[in-house]
Amino acid sequence: MIDLHTHSRVSDGSETPGRVVELAAEAGCSAMALTDHDSLAGLEEAGRVAARLGVRLVPGCEVSCRKPAPPPGAPRIEGSVHVLVYFVEPGDGPLQNELVKLRGDRAVRNRELAARLEELGTGITYDDVLAEAGDEGGIGRPHFARALVKAGAVEDIDDAFDRYLADGRPGYVPKARLDPPDVARLAHESGGVAVLAHPLSTGLSPQHLERMVAELAEGGLDGIEAVYSSYSPDQRSVLRRIASRNGLVATGGSDFHGSFKPGLFVGTGRGDLNVPDDLLDTLEGRRG
Ligand code: AMP
Ligand code: FE
Ligand code: FE
Ligand code: ZN
């Protein structure tokens, strides 16, 4: 079993990178990818623990993208487009340098978002949000959501997004985004591969999704995440077929965020995830 989608405190997970690797080992994973948002900063710590426990650590990250133009016949893409990158090591390189810029822009966005929420009278400050996160560069909207809950400004995390943080709500402040083909190109230039995360988050019907995926495959995409914690067996089969028809690797992962997404476990997701080991070789075959 492997898990190709996990988050740590380096972005919006609750556990340290080392702890995520321990959980992978405990679950019986032979390999796991740490895929923090816009950051490779957890990989060193994760790598040390992985070496000790005999788990293969796949370096990774998850990049929030600009939405592509809707495929013919489809309405606007309502949902989100996230691309997972694998096999890109920390250090210098085309993708790595772009991640530094994205983190910088995120930091600016976070200050603006905090100011906006203060203006809106929610009673929270930047420091309240920082207290929820590991460090400044790792702050994301989930941290704002938790600060809003703690301040009593909203009932729960969903309420925080519905009332303030979601796109179109009064607290929404956009951040810099890359186009998916640019992520794919930068990933390859940096020795890695690119995979569309949780494809159903786009909100597209299977037919429209397949058109979008076909387009992205032309643009250098290597795979789509078919085996995902919240997807039913039928949805996973649909996504596997879309992958195979378009010459893409069907990958899988839990999207573990620790206590910030309760009920999700490394390796097994909601209990029924079991991504086969050999998928990693197939994915690695797409490098370069
Ligand atoms: P950011 O990258 O800071 O804009 O935050 C994006 C993250 O917020 C995503 O990765 C999700 O984990 C979370 N998120 C986005 N929309 C929602 C929502 N409607 N409800 C709960 N979490 C959300
Ligand atoms: Fe997240
Ligand atoms: Fe995501
Ligand atoms: Zn994720």
Side-chain angles (χ1 to χ4, degrees):
M1 179 175 45
I2 62 174
D3 189 337
L4 294 179
H5 193 162
T6 68
H7 296 268
S8 77
R9 279 183 71 80
V10 162
S11 63
D12 56 356
S14 64
E15 306 303 313
T16 62
R19 182 67 190 142
V20 180
V21 178
E22 281 174 14
L23 291 169
E26 284 167 22
C29 291
S30 63
M32 67 151 266
L34 184 68
T35 53
D36 276 308
H37 296 284
D38 306 337
S39 180
L40 305 171
L43 291 167
E44 207 184 292
E45 176 190 323
R48 279 197 301 272
V49 177
R52 177 159 57 77
L53 298 178
V55 173
R56 176 173 175 199
L57 178 72
V58 177
C61 62
E62 183 175 17
V63 183
S64 309
C65 289
R66 205 172 289 129
K67 298 174 197 183
R76 168 192 132 71
I77 297 174
E78 292 291 340
S80 60
V81 177
H82 292 178
V83 172
L84 293 158
V85 171
Y86 299 112
F87 310 118
V88 172
E89 303 279 352
D92 274 332
L95 182 81
Q96 293 91 329
N97 299 345
E98 201 57 45
L99 293 178
V100 173
K101 285 193 219 161
L102 288 176
R103 296 279 280 196
D105 178 84
R106 174 184 284 278
V108 173
R109 188 279 311 251
N110 288 338
R111 295 272 179 185
E112 252 178 79
L113 177 41
R116 183 81 67 89
L117 292 176
E118 254 189 284
E119 271 166 41
L120 287 166
T122 58
I124 70 158
T125 65
Y126 185 76
D127 286 340
D128 296 333
V129 181
L130 188 54
E132 298 293 325
D135 73 280
E136 203 151 15
I139 296 177
R141 279 182 288 161
H143 301 108
F144 284 89
R146 280 201 299 282
L148 286 165
V149 174
K150 272 198 187 155
V154 296
E155 275 172 33
D156 54 26
I157 301 287
D158 281 345
D159 193 31
F161 275 91
D162 289 348
R163 284 172 62 182
Y164 293 108
L165 301 171
D167 190 352
R169 306 307 300 152
Y172 183 73
V173 182
K175 63 178 197 283
R177 286 167 190 271
L178 299 175
D179 292 316
D182 288 332
V183 177
R185 179 179 50 78
L186 291 164
H188 280 267
E189 286 172 7
S190 310
V193 303
V195 170
L196 180 66
H198 39 70
L200 300 181
S201 297
T202 54
L204 293 171
S205 69
Q207 290 75 15
H208 290 144
L209 177 65
E210 180 152 11
R211 286 195 203 135
M212 186 187 97
V213 164
E215 187 91 0
L216 296 179
E218 295 275 314
L221 191 76
D222 300 287
I224 63 173
E225 193 172 49
V227 185
Y228 187 68
S229 297
S230 58
Y231 294 173
S232 69
D234 281 355
Q235 289 173 321
R236 294 175 192 181
S237 316
V238 166
L239 292 168
R240 274 209 197 86
R241 281 200 293 276
I242 292 180
S244 109
R245 281 197 292 260
N246 290 279
L248 298 174
V249 185
T251 70
S254 64
D255 209 359
F256 175 80
H257 281 70
S259 61
F260 300 157
K261 274 196 189 175
L264 273 184
F265 300 93
V266 179
T268 54
R270 294 203 172 134
D272 68 339
L273 219 61
N274 190 355
V275 181
D277 294 28
D278 58 3
L279 194 133
L280 201 47
D281 291 335
T282 315
L283 195 60
E284 241 197 320
R286 310 265 318 200
R287 288 176 79 171

